[in-house]
Every structure is written in C-alpha cells, then in structure tokens.
Amino acid sequence: MNEQVRGRSEGSVRRRPDGCRSALSEAYDTALLDLDGVVYAGGQAIAHAVESLTAARGGGMHLAYVTNNAARTPLTVADQLTGLGLPTGPDDVITSAQAVARLISEQVPAGARVLAVGGEGLVVALRERGLQPVFSADDDPAAVVQGFDPTLDWGRLAEAAYAVQRGVPWFASNTDLTIPRERGIAPGNGALVEVVRTAAGGAPQVAGKPRPPMHRETVLRTGAQRPLVVGDRLDTDIEGAYHGEVDALLVLTGVATAAELLAAPPQHRPAYVDADLRGLLVPQPGVTEDGDGFRCGGWRAALAGDTFTVAGEGAPLDGLRALCAAAWTAAGNGRCTADAGKALARIGM
C-alpha cells in the first residue's frame, strides 16, 4: 500500500512498526476484530471501543468479528455486540467453531458423528456442516472436538479422553491457554485441551488463530480485499496475521504487554501498535533510523548490547514504537533485556 511507510528490511521479517499516512480505517477495507480483550472483556465494552468502531464503520470500513471463543453462536455474539451499541448481524461474526467444523467435515464422511466437548456454538457449527454432534465416547464418533465452554465439567472432559485413547481423531477449536474476563485472566480452551492431553496423550488438529484454517474461514466469509487484523494477543491474533500475510494492529487493552511486545519474535510483531481501538481512526507515525538508534515522534531509542537508551518526550506510544524498532533490529531478534522495564518507565508505560 503506497500510503504506508514500511518497516520490513528483508523478507517477511519486520524490524520496526509501520507508519500509515492516512487513518487505518481508510487504508484498509475490513477490520478483522478479535473480541475478548479488544471489543469487550467479559460482558463489558472496553473503553473507546464502541465509539471508535462506530466511527470506522461510518467511514466505510467493514467490521468483521473474529473470535477463537467457540462457546457461543454467531447470532449470540451479534446480539451481544448489538446490545453494546454496535449493530451486528451473525454473518459479521466468524468463530473458531466454524473453522474447526469445516476442518472436520473435510476429513470424515458426510453426516458422521462427532463427539462435541464444548458449548452451543460448537454444536451449531457442526450441524451447519452436516455433522451429527454426540456426547459420549460410546456413541461411535468419527472424531472428537473440543471448544471453549465455561460450564464444562469433568465428565465431558473424561469422555473426550476416552475417545482419544481409543484412537478417534482429535480436533480443537483453539488452544488459547487464557481468556480475559471482567475480573481478570481466566483459563481458556487450551488449558482444557491440556487436561485431555495429560490423560490421553497425543495432540489435536487445531483450527483457530493462529492456525491457517481460521484465516481461510475468515477470508471465505468476509471477502476482504485489504484486511487489517486487530487483536490483543501476540501468539494468536498477531501470529495469525503473520501466517496469513496480512497487516495487524495490536491494541494494549487485553493480554499482551509492552514488555512482551519488545521481546516479540518475528511472527509476533504487529504492523501497528496503539493503546486501544481509537488507533483505527488516526494515521500511524513512522519510525525512522537515527544514527545507531530509531526515532518516533519526540522519542529516540537505541539498544547497545543488553542496554536500552531512550531519550526525548512526547506520546508514550511513540516511545514504545521507537523501542520496538531498537529491540527488533538488534541481533537476537527482539530480546527482552534486563532494563526493558526501566526504558518503558522512562517513556511513561
């Protein structure tokens, strides 16, 4: 995109955050938005999310909500978003349950039984693919699939373990170890998958972010031509964008921290970083080389050995962008040094 200032110096390895001379909502046609930690935390909208997304859509950007949470149906998610002030239809929601149901349907006979260990969203997605959900390992399933369900009990996890022990092909909607809630960070579907792995061994085929089946499902359902992934997790949202070869905006309203961003390996480096979804509505400042360091806005940062130097003043996010460039460019690709905390404190983060 010729309106952007690119920060990749070789191949697909990003050495610094990108700049964009126009608002991201103008430069990209579709925002592929994660939900938990980006739009809401549990049942509460995150600050500035509703107003920012309303403005982005009003300017012509298509909003698509892409979630690894397989517990609920697209209709239920759409209704929640509508209730928060974001009018949404079920076709605007893509879930990992849909992605894993497609993946299973490509490997088992039409109408096959599938042991469903998850919520309503997983059951509905299986039925949409012509598969028959069952709930016992003794129902002769052709596959077993796990999806997040906050009400899941020991008995259903045991059924999954029994089926996997018998050699039934095993699938998982996603393997996020945690999920943001109103009260903090809670265990995610990946933690439940680990319970079954501990009992039965092996490893499931995974459909959700950052795996390719989720990206494929999203593209098929949205038809996006210039998509921008928007997420709060480096190991799912940002890595998924990396594998899909599309740009990503990291918002610091969920799981990822500034320190983790400095230490990010190439597949976890977003094109853009901002505090929250207001970042969709503004240009993104570029990061430029400045001698042996990097400058963004009023800040200059460098990394010599294991020591950051940072000087200047201005918006803390500009300081973070400059620090990212210094860390990502250094030998070792994004080491988190001992004094990263001091550098972040210096810029006010």
Side-chain angles (χ1 to χ4, degrees):
M1 302 173 68
N2 58 17
E3 63 198 339
Q4 291 176 258
V5 180
R6 287 296 184 186
R8 301 181 188 183
S9 59
E10 58 182 59
S12 61
V13 177
R14 176 171 280 109
R15 302 295 188 186
R16 70 188 82 160
D18 291 349
C20 188
R21 297 188 182 98
S22 62
L24 297 180
S25 58
E26 298 171 1
Y28 297 88
D29 68 344
T30 305
L32 306 180
L33 295 139
D34 185 49
L35 288 172
D36 291 302
V38 175
V39 180
Y40 55 63
Q44 301 297 316
I46 287 173
H48 311 294
V50 173
E51 302 91 331
S52 298
L53 293 176
T54 299
R57 182 171 53 203
M61 189 179 218
H62 176 214
L63 306 181
Y65 300 95
V66 186
T67 177
N68 263 2
N69 189 332
R72 299 182 298 162
T73 67
L75 177 59
T76 301
V77 174
D79 286 346
Q80 179 185 4
L81 291 168
T82 299
L84 292 175
L86 292 166
T88 305
D91 290 343
D92 296 321
V93 179
I94 302 94
T95 74
S96 62
Q98 294 170 320
V100 78
R102 187 188 296 270
L103 184 63
I104 295 169
S105 71
E106 294 169 345
Q107 299 183 41
V108 302
R113 296 178 179 181
V114 177
L115 176 58
V117 183
E120 181 186 11
L122 185 62
V123 171
V124 169
L126 292 170
R127 287 175 176 154
E128 286 178 347
R129 287 285 152 204
L131 301 169
Q132 181 182 349
V134 296
F135 304 98
S136 170
D138 296 333
D139 288 331
D140 194 27
V144 55
V145 58
Q146 283 185 258
F148 181 70
D149 180 359
T151 68
L152 205 62
D153 61 21
W154 177 90
R156 296 184 67 191
L157 291 171
E159 292 298 325
Y162 301 149
V164 173
Q165 290 168 29
R166 296 171 188 176
V168 176
W170 183 20
F171 298 81
S173 63
N174 66 297
T175 51
D176 298 34
L177 290 172
T178 61
I179 185 170
R181 311 303 270 179
E182 300 100 320
R183 297 169 58 194
I185 303 299
N189 193 56
L192 302 178
V193 168
E194 288 302 313
V195 170
V196 174
R197 190 200 307 270
T198 299
Q205 294 185 53
V206 182
K209 296 179 285 187
R211 304 301 176 89
M214 189 67 178
H215 181 73
R216 179 179 59 152
E217 191 72 22
T218 300
V219 170
L220 287 172
R221 289 178 179 268
T222 64
Q225 298 297 310
R226 301 189 317 278
L228 176 70
V229 170
V230 185
D232 70 305
R233 302 183 68 111
L234 300 178
D235 60 347
T236 55
D237 304 314
I238 308 308
E239 186 175 338
Y242 174 86
H243 291 309
E245 298 183 345
V246 299
D247 289 338
L249 166 66
L250 177 75
V251 291
L252 299 174
T253 51
V255 172
T257 67
E260 290 168 346
L261 183 61
L262 295 185
Q267 69 272 23
H268 290 174
R269 297 174 186 173
Y272 313 105
V273 57
D274 220 309
D276 51 56
L277 287 174
R278 289 176 293 180
L280 286 173
L281 306 178
V282 296
Q284 293 290 313
V287 180
T288 58
E289 293 187 31
D290 184 1
D292 61 350
F294 297 88
R295 182 172 295 278
C296 184
W299 293 100
R300 183 186 183 279
L303 179 60
D306 288 334
T307 303
F308 278 114
T309 60
V310 58
E313 60 182 3
L317 279 165
D318 287 344
L320 177 60
R321 294 174 181 117
L323 284 167
C324 283
W328 297 352
T329 302
N333 288 342
R335 292 166 298 162
C336 188
T337 65
D339 69 340
K342 295 178 183 178
L344 291 171
R346 172 69 181 85
I347 64 173
M349 297 197 74

